[in-house]
Amino acid sequence: MPMEPVSDSVLLVKVVPAFGALVSLIMYASPMLAVLAASRNNLIGDLNPLPFVIGVGNCFSWTAYGMVRHDPFLVSPNAPGMCLALFFVMSTYALAETRVRNMMRAVLVTEVSILAFLGVITVFATTSESQAIGIWGVTHLVTHLMYYSAPFSTALEVIRNRNSSTILLPMIIMNNLNSALWSMYGIAMGDIFIIIPNGTGLFLALAQGALLFIYPSTPMSKPLLDPQTHKDSAGTVALGTCGSRDLENGVAHRAPVLDVAGDRPPVSDEQCEGSDVKPLPVSHAPPGQQV
């Protein structure tokens, strides 16, 4: 049965949650431009994909809780929010470093498995609505706190580098506004499963915002090649300035010199003459065949 509010204020039980639903949807969509830019440039840069993985479980558990409480204000933003989070995960997974990809995969598989198990328990093992409410209330409380604390996975890096570029300002702003609105709604409804996660989420969002002011965001630039190993992020070793060899499949191929500033053309074969390393011949072998 629907929730019974403890307040008769139309502002708190109708207007605030309606606005909160809109803010939640905007918050879930706020990383869209950054994700599309990373996908377009094939470079993840400073974007942290871990909150997107947590967002899948967070939105799913909120949707389930809203359904057992028959609350359209909870369901309406979180159902599409789950779809957005899945899109962000799919868009950033291939761009992330191996360590991050492994973490994303482990977290996603774990949370989906747990949520599926809880769904089975809800349908076949619960004997009352209050039991289902308790299951999904605790679940979304945990996932919500994980969602708001996920950006802190880079907190030590932010403090160490004195650079908050890995924290998205638009998402932090929306997180604060979103938590404040839903905390007000939870108080009006007398629902601790809304008050606790959003009150704590507001505190965490404010802490993340504080990092932005303490350590201003500055673009982080990484060298194309490691100065010690001469390897790039894809595991390719540069041979002088005129060629490279793919260590993964052993295929030699021509690789133009890349200029970070973007104002210098690739080095030609003529320019390579006289250098300590000659250009490697272009391989015409079929894909996957070593030469």
Side-chain angles (χ1 to χ4, degrees), residues 84-144:
L84 285 169
L86 280 171
F87 171 76
F88 296 153
V89 170
M90 296 295 290
S91 300
T92 58
Y93 177 80
L95 305 178
E97 298 177 353
T98 301
R99 176 184 60 83
V100 178
R101 287 201 305 269
N102 292 339
M103 188 179 301
M104 293 173 67
R105 182 169 57 246
V107 172
L108 185 61
V109 171
T110 300
E111 67 180 5
V112 169
S113 300
I114 293 175
L115 293 173
F117 174 75
L118 292 176
V120 173
I121 295 297
T122 302
V123 174
F124 296 105
T126 56
T127 58
S128 65
E129 186 179 82
S130 61
Q131 291 179 346
I133 291 174
I135 288 175
W136 290 105
V138 173
T139 301
H140 84 68
L141 190 154
V142 173
T143 58
H144 190 81

Side-chain angles (χ1 to χ4, degrees), residues 14-245:
K14 296 294 183 182
V15 178
V16 167
F19 186 46
L22 177 61
V23 170
S24 293
L25 193 55
I26 296 174
M27 179 188 70
Y28 294 144
S30 61
M32 179 65 76
L33 293 179
V35 170
L36 291 178
S39 181
R40 181 173 59 252
N41 298 327
N42 199 33
L43 180 66
I44 197 168
D46 300 326
L47 188 62
N48 181 10
L50 292 179
F52 305 147
V53 182
I54 303 297
V56 175
N58 178 58
C59 289
F60 183 94
S61 58
W62 272 108
T63 300
Y65 182 72
M67 293 176 69
V68 297
R69 291 305 301 255
H70 304 276
D71 190 332
F73 295 120
L74 295 177
V75 175
S76 56
N78 286 289
M82 180 175 59
C83 298
L84 285 169
L86 280 171
F87 171 76
F88 296 153
V89 170
M90 296 295 290
S91 300
T92 58
Y93 177 80
L95 305 178
E97 298 177 353
T98 301
R99 176 184 60 83
V100 178
R101 287 201 305 269
N102 292 339
M103 188 179 301
M104 293 173 67
R105 182 169 57 246
V107 172
L108 185 61
V109 171
T110 300
E111 67 180 5
V112 169
S113 300
I114 293 175
L115 293 173
F117 174 75
L118 292 176
V120 173
I121 295 297
T122 302
V123 174
F124 296 105
T126 56
T127 58
S128 65
E129 186 179 82
S130 61
Q131 291 179 346
I133 291 174
I135 288 175
W136 290 105
V138 173
T139 301
H140 84 68
L141 190 154
V142 173
T143 58
H144 190 81
L145 295 182
M146 290 175 61
Y147 175 76
Y148 273 86
S149 61
F152 279 106
S153 61
T154 58
L156 292 179
E157 180 181 350
V158 169
I159 296 173
R160 182 171 59 251
N161 297 329
R162 307 181 66 85
N163 180 8
S164 60
S165 59
T166 54
I167 300 178
L168 297 177
L169 177 59
M171 180 172 284
I172 296 301
I173 294 175
M174 300 308 296
N175 283 350
N176 279 280
L177 180 58
N178 180 71
S179 295
L181 290 170
W182 287 111
S183 295
M184 294 170 59
Y185 178 60
I187 293 173
M189 301 301 294
D191 191 336
I192 61 172
F193 289 126
I194 298 179
I195 298 173
I196 294 176
N198 284 286
T200 308
L202 178 60
F203 170 78
L204 293 175
L206 288 172
Q208 295 168 28
L211 287 178
L212 288 173
F213 285 99
I214 297 174
Y215 306 109
S217 176
T218 56
M220 297 178 62
S221 58
K222 297 181 179 180
L224 293 177
L225 299 177
D226 186 281
Q228 300 298 325
T229 64
H230 302 291
K231 292 182 180 180
D232 64 9
S233 59
T236 301
V237 174
L239 303 179
T241 59
C242 305
S244 66
R245 180 173 295 276

